[in-house]
Amino acid sequence: SSKQDVASERKQQDEDPFLLEEEEQEEEIGNLLQQYGILLEYERMQDLLPSGMYVLPCFDSVLTWQGALFVRQGLYKGAVFKFRLVLPEEYPDQGPDLYFTSDVFHPMVDPKTGQVELVSLFPEWRPGRDFAAFALPHLHRAFLRREYFASSARPALNPEARQLFLSDPAAFAERARECANNSLFQVFDNPSGSTLQFTKGPTEAHDTIVEHLKADPSGSLEERKTAFVDWFCDHYAHKRTRVGVAQGEAEAETILLDAKGQQVDGAGYPKMPASKAAPAPPILSRGSILSSQS
């Protein structure tokens, strides 16, 4: 019968290795084009990245971006919040999701999952006009502008935080301060495979910096700490790191490069056996934060 012929033909097509190979190639090409588009968006995002925010694609998949936000003013001043921006497999046809991996007490952050409210930013996702990178300035503003705390136009994923902000601003400010302080205890918790690694760095260097800060008579210790962080960020704003592993000798080194790609004399970390190499302290720059992993 005709139905049996059609079924037989479809079965043959399903079992045809040439057709299967062609479909696999088309799927692979589609995946490569998607990854290229995402990496191109990531590269262009650098010019839009807010001050104090650093983002890197995940080692395992370019669909996940890992980031850290250093809050420099406002109720959460001094906090270091980690987050991840998750792009769906259908991106750019569907929009991203944004999650804090640090505990954050904020009206726009779900206290259980860490999900950040993006409906107000993307009421309706428009492929080709909306991009995942738009969520990053949105996240930065959430800690600075009052409408992100109090406006009824923005859905509250944490109603308790919204109500506390409206009814008792002083109590909310205290909760925000506690949240900022707690974030510093979580900053060195690095998930396995994370591209954004934080290490405590050499103890000797830390002790030396503290001694110099205490010896400086100008201003309070907190003011001197803030001035040092500002200087550090400005000094390395146009520098980046290169991490390399020498084959055969299994040696690793981290080199600091200037804006022109030239090695900065006396900067970086010397070669050492990869099995003994400790993770490098985070190097802050507008372009990237890289750390070697052995």
Side-chain angles (χ1 to χ4, degrees), residues 54-66:
Y54 305 91
V55 181
L56 282 175
C58 182
F59 282 130
D60 299 329
S61 172
V62 296
L63 294 176
T64 300
W65 297 0
Q66 297 169 329

Side-chain angles (χ1 to χ4, degrees), residues 90-111:
E90 297 78 11
Y91 188 83
D93 294 328
Q94 293 185 14
D97 290 312
L98 185 60
Y99 299 88
F100 275 111
T101 55
S102 305
D103 294 330
V104 179
F105 182 75
H106 190 287
M108 292 178 56
V109 180
D110 189 307

